[in-house]
């Protein structure tokens, strides 16, 4: 008999999510587990008790009964002290924990001799951990919802319009922080037609901002801000001073500011001061997504929307919960992937294997012993770069294949001189009929060489496909065999059946080559167009 997974109703204020959904319940049952859900746990996310029953879950009337009987508990929010008190001794909990911010909770869980997997401690640098990464899935939802909340409070169109009643300028949106939530906000705001600008301490995200339709605003100070694990690090005072100056300028110009900056284990950095808020145009909006950790704006009130100096400052801490059904579905899928890693035997039993880097990183308490923080993961060493001297000949030979540096004037003159001499010798001694064919051949080689030389290497494949199609002019030979020209008496010299059959077959293949070449070229060139 497999272990029992319990899903209690979330007790945090305004929390509407549920830690598993009926579709995932069915998959957990197939892994060999039993599932129990507290009555009403999914109501706020539009998952009724009957849908859980139909999926194979047991409905338990009270939280106390559920916590007492569950071997494993799935939760969306950090458990309260009261909930931990209900937990059975030696049980397993999979939830958001934030161990750096909740040392008392960690000690309480350890006293229960529990095994705790903190979904927020997943080593995100592991590529196979992406399927379990609830931080990313929840951040994407919150970034989208932040733009929707901003649009609701803004009271104007995001996109520009020209109407009979006058011209409407597009909204200017500035997004501080281009992590997962920031990128989701950039894409949403750009799709709504706003002019979007964004900044991040990590220079590598600039291309991602541009790809989503935004403009990356760089701080006039050179310092790398990547802190590992998808987060930023604490920057130097010099960088912060330059950053404040840039933010002050953006505050004066922007209609909407969305802040997403967080550093693990630390209060949210203050990016928007009261003076910056005062400099914004009346009717502007700030959405502070870091409200739960204190806020990026000096005037943010966590959990509330307030108006200061004519600017609406939204500090909601339940942005993800405002899309409860979608968020519950994604979060429960992340927990399912964690459970699959714990139960590879599909027998309803789990193995918290510390040899697995992902499971080791997730586990913050094991059998009552605090195991957080996990030791650093030893990543595979990057392959050594090839010496520059060895790479140089390859680059040089690549240039002669097309798209390289053109030859010098002296080399070009030498090639043309040799060609002219060879052409003169052929003209003196070769028959006149050969000379005409040779002239066409030389000109064709010259034109082809110059065309290929001046085409960038990335376009060589479409170039070859179209020249391959053009070369299908040999179809004329097959046409001559199928319909030979008439002689002076008006009669045609018909080929025998074998030659006619071969000519028709050759004509069919040539047609495929011709039209296929043009089709491939058209499709490949479309890849280079925006």
């Amino acid at each position: 008999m497999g272990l029992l997974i319990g899903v209690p109703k979330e007790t945090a204020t305004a929390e509407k999510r549920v830690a598993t959904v009926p579709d995932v319940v069915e998959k957990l049952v197939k892994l060999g587990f039993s599932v129990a859900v507290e009555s009403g746990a999914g109501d706020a996310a539009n998952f009724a008790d009957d849908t859980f029953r139909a999926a194979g879950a047991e409905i338990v009337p009270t939280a106390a009964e559920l916590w007492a009987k569950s071997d494993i508990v799935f939760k969306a929010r950090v458990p309260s002290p009261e909930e931990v008190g209900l937990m059975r001794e030696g049980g397993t909990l999979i939830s958001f924990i934030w161990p750096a911010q909740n040392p008392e909770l960690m000690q309480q869980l350890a006293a229960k001799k529990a095994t705790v997997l903190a979904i927020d401690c997943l080593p995100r640098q592991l590529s196979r951990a992406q399927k379990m990464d609830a931080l990313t899935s929840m951040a994407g939802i919150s970034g989208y919802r932040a733009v929707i909340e901003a649009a609701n409070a803004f009271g104007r169109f995001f996109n520009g319009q020209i109407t009979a009643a006058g011209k409407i300028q597009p909204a200017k949106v500035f997004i501080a922080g281009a992590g997962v939530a920031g990128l989701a906000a950039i894409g949403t705001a750009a799709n709504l037609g706003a002019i979007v600008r964004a900044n991040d301490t990590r220079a590598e995200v600039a291309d991602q901002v541009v790809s989503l339709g935004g403009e990356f605003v760089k701080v006039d100070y050179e310092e790398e801000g990547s802190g590992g694990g998808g987060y930023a690090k604490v920057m130097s005072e010099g960088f912060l001073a330059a950053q404040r100056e840039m933010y002050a300028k953006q505050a004066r110009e922007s209609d909407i500011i969305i802040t997403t900056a967080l550093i693990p284990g630390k209060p949210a950095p203050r990016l928007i001061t009261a003076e910056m808020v005062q400099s914004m145009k009346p009717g502007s909006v700030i959405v502070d997504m870091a409200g739960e950790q204190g806020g990026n704006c000096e005037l943010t009130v966590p959990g509330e929307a307030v108006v200061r100096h004519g600017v609406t400052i939204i500090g909601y801490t339940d942005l993800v919960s405002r899309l409860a059904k979608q968020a519950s579905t994604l979060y429960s899928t992340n927990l399912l992937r964690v459970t699959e890693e714990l139960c590879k035997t599909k027998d309803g039993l789990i193995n918290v294997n510390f040899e697995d880097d992902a499971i080791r990183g997730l586990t913050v308490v094991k059998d009552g012993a605090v195991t957080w923080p996990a030791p650093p993961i030893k990543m595979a060493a990057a392959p050594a770069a090839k010496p520059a001297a060895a790479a140089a000949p390859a680059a040089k030979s690549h240039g002669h294949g097309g798209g390289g540096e053109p030859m010098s004037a002296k080399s070009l003159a030498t090639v043309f001189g040799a060609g002219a001499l060879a052409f003169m010798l052929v003209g003196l001694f070769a028959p006149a009929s050969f000379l005409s064919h040779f002239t066409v051949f030389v000109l064709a080689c010259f034109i082809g060489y110059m065309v290929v030389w001046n085409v960038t290497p990335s376009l060589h494949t479409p170039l070859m496909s179209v020249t391959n199609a053009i070369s299908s002019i040999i179809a004329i030979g097959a046409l001559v065999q199928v319909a030979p020209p008439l002689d002076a008496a008006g009669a045609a010299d018909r080929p025998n059946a074998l030659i006619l059959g071969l000519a028709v077959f050759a004509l069919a293949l040539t047609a495929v080559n011709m039209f296929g070449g043009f089709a491939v070229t058209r499709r490949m060139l479309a890849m280079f167009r925006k």
Side-chain angles (χ1 to χ4, degrees):
M1 184 67 178
L3 299 177
L4 175 65
I5 295 175
V7 182
K9 185 176 182 179
E10 298 296 325
T11 58
T13 304
E15 181 57 68
K16 298 178 181 177
R17 288 176 296 169
V18 61
T20 198
V21 299
D23 286 346
V24 171
V25 168
E26 295 178 357
K27 295 172 183 176
L28 291 171
V29 171
K30 288 180 181 178
L31 286 175
F33 296 97
S34 301
V35 181
V37 179
E38 183 183 348
S39 180
D43 288 350
N46 295 315
F47 294 109
D49 289 349
D50 288 342
T51 61
F52 283 107
R53 283 195 188 91
E58 174 192 357
I59 302 300
V60 177
T62 65
E65 182 182 346
L66 181 102
W67 281 90
K69 70 187 300 185
S70 299
D71 301 299
I72 305 168
V73 174
F74 284 179
K75 269 188 61 61
R77 283 271 186 172
V78 176
S80 66
E82 293 75 22
E83 288 177 310
V84 177
L86 296 174
M87 186 177 182
R88 67 185 295 180
E89 190 164 314
T92 299
L93 173 66
I94 304 177
S95 174
F96 279 97
I97 298 295
W98 304 109
Q101 289 94 332
N102 297 292
E104 296 86 359
L105 173 65
M106 292 285 288
Q107 293 304 318
Q108 191 178 4
L109 290 166
K112 282 281 186 178
K113 295 183 171 49
T115 295
V116 183
L117 281 75
I119 202 71
D120 47 277
C121 292
L122 179 75
R124 300 169 80 185
Q125 62 267 45
L126 297 175
S127 58
R128 70 183 186 86
Q130 293 178 5
K131 62 185 179 181
M132 300 178 271
D133 190 359
L135 280 171
T136 294
S137 59
M138 296 301 100
I141 292 174
S142 61
Y144 171 86
R145 184 68 192 196
V147 176
I148 301 305
E149 295 292 342
N152 179 58
F154 185 46
R156 270 179 45 200
F157 294 144
F158 264 45
N159 62 317
Q161 295 186 17
I162 298 176
T163 70
K167 182 178 180 181
I168 301 172
Q169 295 292 342
K172 294 181 179 178
V173 178
F174 177 69
I175 296 171
V180 176
L183 292 172
I186 291 166
T188 305
N191 288 337
L192 288 174
I195 296 172
V196 184
R197 295 173 183 154
N199 168 262
D200 198 283
T201 57
R202 297 159 292 185
E204 67 267 19
V205 304
D207 290 340
Q208 299 175 47
V209 171
V210 173
S211 70
L212 288 169
E215 174 191 347
F216 188 78
V217 182
K218 194 174 184 297
V219 176
D220 190 17
Y221 192 97
E222 293 298 328
E223 184 176 349
E224 174 52 42
S226 180
Y231 288 100
K233 70 176 185 181
V234 178
M235 307 299 286
S236 69
E237 185 53 42
F239 179 91
L240 294 176
Q243 186 185 56
R244 284 193 292 269
E245 183 179 344
M246 182 271 291
Y247 280 146
K249 179 183 177 183
Q250 293 300 322
R252 291 191 297 270
E253 298 177 356
S254 300
D255 299 304
I256 294 168
I257 295 178
I258 298 174
T259 65
T260 70
L262 285 173
I263 297 171
K266 295 182 179 295
R270 290 296 170 88
L271 306 177
I272 308 298
T273 64
E275 291 77 13
M276 294 179 194
V277 175
Q278 194 168 2
S279 71
M280 296 180 73
K281 297 183 287 289
S284 299
V285 178
I286 296 174
V287 181
D288 192 342
M289 295 179 62
E292 197 164 5
Q293 272 77 37
N296 296 137
C297 177
E298 189 176 349
L299 301 180
T300 295
V301 177
E304 298 181 22
V306 297
V307 179
R308 299 288 186 268
H309 307 295
V311 177
T312 301
I313 304 172
I314 299 173
Y316 296 150
T317 57
D318 62 341
L319 289 172
V320 173
S321 187
R322 289 171 182 250
L323 293 169
K325 187 164 188 173
Q326 184 76 72
S328 298
T329 301
L330 294 182
Y331 181 67
S332 62
T333 301
N334 293 138
L335 295 191
L336 170 66
R337 302 308 174 204
V338 172
T339 308
E340 288 174 342
E341 293 296 314
L342 293 169
C343 180
K344 294 185 177 180
T345 53
K346 299 183 179 181
D347 57 358
L349 302 175
I350 62 171
N351 175 26
V352 183
N353 179 18
F354 272 22
E355 297 299 317
D356 185 321
D357 287 335
I359 299 303
R360 176 63 188 91
L362 282 168
T363 308
V364 295
V365 181
K366 185 176 182 182
D367 298 328
V370 176
T371 59
W372 178 86
I377 295 175
K378 295 180 181 179
M379 304 298 290
K386 293 182 180 180
K396 186 175 179 182
S397 63
H398 176 70
H400 286 287
E405 291 293 328
M407 66 176 67
S408 65
K410 182 178 180 181
S411 300
L412 192 63
T414 302
V415 171
F416 271 98
L421 180 62
F423 193 78
M424 182 182 70
L425 293 174
V426 170
L428 290 175
F429 299 104
S433 59
F434 175 79
L435 185 61
S436 63
H437 292 297
F438 182 70
T439 303
V440 172
F441 173 74
V442 171
L443 290 175
C445 289
F446 173 73
I447 293 172
Y449 172 76
M450 294 305 293
V451 167
V452 173
W453 186 279
N454 290 288
V455 171
T456 181
S458 61
L459 290 174
H460 278 179
T461 302
L463 174 67
M464 291 303 105
S465 62
V466 76
T467 52
N468 187 46
I470 294 172
S471 69
S472 297
I473 194 172
I474 58 174
I476 294 175
L479 289 172
V480 169
Q481 293 299 323
V482 173
L486 302 177
D487 56 20
D493 184 15
R494 297 287 179 185
N496 61 41
L498 177 60
I499 294 176
L500 182 62
L502 290 174
V504 171
F505 183 65
L507 188 61
L509 291 181
T510 305
V512 172
N513 189 52
M514 183 184 300
F515 293 108
F518 283 120
V520 169
T521 303
R522 182 175 178 276
R523 294 183 65 178
M524 294 201 66
L525 289 178
M527 297 168 60
F528 294 89
R529 298 191 183 101
K530 290 186 178 179

